[in-house]
Amino acid sequence: MITLIKESNIMGKLLKYSFYLIIIILLFLIGYSFFGDLSAPQEIITEKIQMPNDTWIYSFNKMSKNNKLIDNFLETIHAERNASKNTLLAYKRDLEAFTRFLSKKRIDLYKANRKDIENYIISLDNHGMSEATRARHLSTIKQIYRYGYDESLIKDNPSNEIKGPKSKRKLPNYLSENEINKLLDTSTQIGRSPRDKKRNTCLMHVLYATGMRVSELVSLPVISVRGNPEMLLIKGKGGKERLVPLSTPAKMAIAAYLVDWNSQQEINKKKG
């Protein structure tokens, strides 16, 4: 009798939980039939477009005229300015934000006027965006309208006479001579091995002597520092090249690191 009662209680709980599960499934199906798949953007088709040098730009609305104008603009600045992937993505994000603002008023890029652009910049200010950020957004908008007007894709340039917020220029933070010396001295002590310490010392001295970006330094080929050069040829943003001088300490640090680097290359060759 006790066993039957226990089994009855178990069956009752199973029926109860099954009932709740059925209710949840029904609610989900009803919600889906009314609202569709909320996780997917409505009426948006994502298309991947490959640009030269493996730079990818994602068209966010295949059905929109905005999409064609933005894609053509991005392809043009990539070809003419050799803009990097990060630069293109930054332009794309700014333009997407602007088109979303316009879409709330049922306006596209082709029909926007000066007031619409000014209202957008004001809205950025209301959302706490800095002057530099607002100036960047306006610059992007000005560039796409200048492109559209020059290519006869739009009749008028609504951004032509808009003056953006002037970003405040701040003096850059810098290290004192004493702090620089401490930094260079510390680099000789950091590393898991003597070879790592020589590498870190070389990196810090070259950065200090040349003022190059870290991204430029890590992409610098070893052959460019062979032969005890007085200057280095650096390829910077937009593929622009420039010459930077090397200090005596930097040249000494490079020479010391190359000795270990060459030895390691010989060992690797012998190992096959």
Side-chain angles (χ1 to χ4, degrees), residues 17 50 99 119-120 139-140 162 235 239 261 267:
Y17 293 140
Q50 186 174 12
T99 54
N119 287 338
Y120 173 65
S139 174
T140 302
I162 299 178
K235 190 173 184 180
W261 194 89
I267 294 173

Side-chain angles (χ1 to χ4, degrees), residues 214-265:
V214 173
S215 59
E216 295 169 346
L217 176 61
V218 297
S219 62
L220 194 67
V222 175
I223 193 172
S224 64
V225 295
R226 290 192 179 280
N228 194 28
E230 295 292 332
M231 306 188 80
L232 294 180
L233 181 63
I234 306 301
K235 190 173 184 180
K237 288 185 176 181
K240 296 179 180 179
E241 295 181 336
R242 69 184 190 278
L243 286 170
V244 293
L246 282 174
S247 64
T248 300
K251 289 189 288 184
M252 292 174 62
I254 290 172
Y257 176 62
L258 283 179
V259 171
D260 281 3
W261 194 89
N262 292 334
S263 299
Q264 187 61 46
Q265 292 302 305

Side-chain angles (χ1 to χ4, degrees), residues 5-262:
I5 292 173
K6 287 183 177 179
E7 291 178 352
S8 177
N9 289 336
I10 292 172
M11 290 298 296
K13 289 181 179 180
L14 289 174
L15 289 173
K16 180 180 179 180
Y17 293 140
S18 298
F19 176 76
Y20 289 151
L21 180 61
I22 292 171
I23 293 297
I24 292 171
I25 293 173
L26 287 174
L27 288 173
F28 174 80
L29 293 175
I30 292 171
Y32 186 88
S33 64
F34 277 98
F35 303 107
D37 184 3
L38 298 180
S39 64
Q42 301 300 305
E43 299 181 359
I44 288 181
I45 302 174
T46 301
E47 179 185 23
K48 184 183 280 188
I49 299 176
Q50 186 174 12
M51 297 182 68
N53 300 326
D54 295 324
T55 301
W56 295 92
I57 298 299
Y58 295 89
S59 301
F60 56 92
N61 190 347
K62 190 176 180 181
M63 305 299 293
S64 171
K65 291 192 301 181
N66 292 335
N67 174 63
K68 185 175 181 180
L69 179 60
I70 292 174
D71 282 348
N72 290 342
F73 167 68
L74 295 175
E75 289 176 4
T76 299
I77 62 173
H78 177 80
E80 293 182 353
R81 307 179 196 173
N82 194 25
S84 68
K85 178 180 178 180
N86 289 336
T87 298
L88 294 172
L89 291 176
Y91 277 124
K92 175 179 174 291
R93 284 192 295 268
D94 290 349
L95 292 172
E96 282 184 339
F98 181 48
T99 54
R100 282 196 298 270
F101 175 83
L102 294 177
S103 65
K104 293 178 182 178
K105 299 184 177 183
R106 300 183 179 277
I107 302 172
D108 59 28
L109 286 171
Y110 295 85
K111 296 180 181 178
N113 55 36
R114 175 175 177 172
K115 191 66 177 176
D116 295 321
I117 299 172
E118 290 175 339
N119 287 338
Y120 173 65
I121 302 302
I122 292 172
S123 74
L124 295 179
D125 185 24
N126 294 337
H127 282 84
M129 299 293 183
S130 67
E131 290 182 353
T133 300
R134 283 180 277 141
R136 190 197 73 228
H137 277 261
L138 180 58
S139 174
T140 302
I141 293 169
K142 280 177 166 287
Q143 289 183 65
I144 193 171
Y145 277 117
R146 189 183 306 121
Y147 161 79
Y149 182 75
D150 291 343
E151 296 294 322
S152 300
L153 299 175
I154 56 175
K155 295 181 180 179
D156 299 304
N157 182 353
S159 68
N160 198 29
E161 298 181 359
I162 299 178
K163 294 182 179 179
K166 294 182 179 179
S167 56
K168 296 178 180 178
R169 293 187 177 182
K170 298 180 180 179
L171 290 174
N173 296 325
Y174 60 91
L175 299 176
S176 67
E177 185 176 350
N178 186 42
E179 289 172 327
I180 288 292
N181 290 331
K182 286 182 179 180
L183 185 62
L184 295 175
D185 290 340
T186 302
S187 67
T188 64
Q189 304 167 19
I190 296 177
R192 292 173 295 180
S193 66
R195 181 171 179 268
D196 286 346
K197 292 177 181 179
K198 288 182 180 180
R199 179 200 61 197
N200 294 337
T201 301
C202 175
L203 293 174
M204 291 306 303
H205 274 284
V206 172
L207 280 175
Y208 178 54
T210 63
M212 70 173 74
R213 302 178 181 90
V214 173
S215 59
E216 295 169 346
L217 176 61
V218 297
S219 62
L220 194 67
V222 175
I223 193 172
S224 64
V225 295
R226 290 192 179 280
N228 194 28
E230 295 292 332
M231 306 188 80
L232 294 180
L233 181 63
I234 306 301
K235 190 173 184 180
K237 288 185 176 181
K240 296 179 180 179
E241 295 181 336
R242 69 184 190 278
L243 286 170
V244 293
L246 282 174
S247 64
T248 300
K251 289 189 288 184
M252 292 174 62
I254 290 172
Y257 176 62
L258 283 179
V259 171
D260 281 3
W261 194 89
N262 292 334

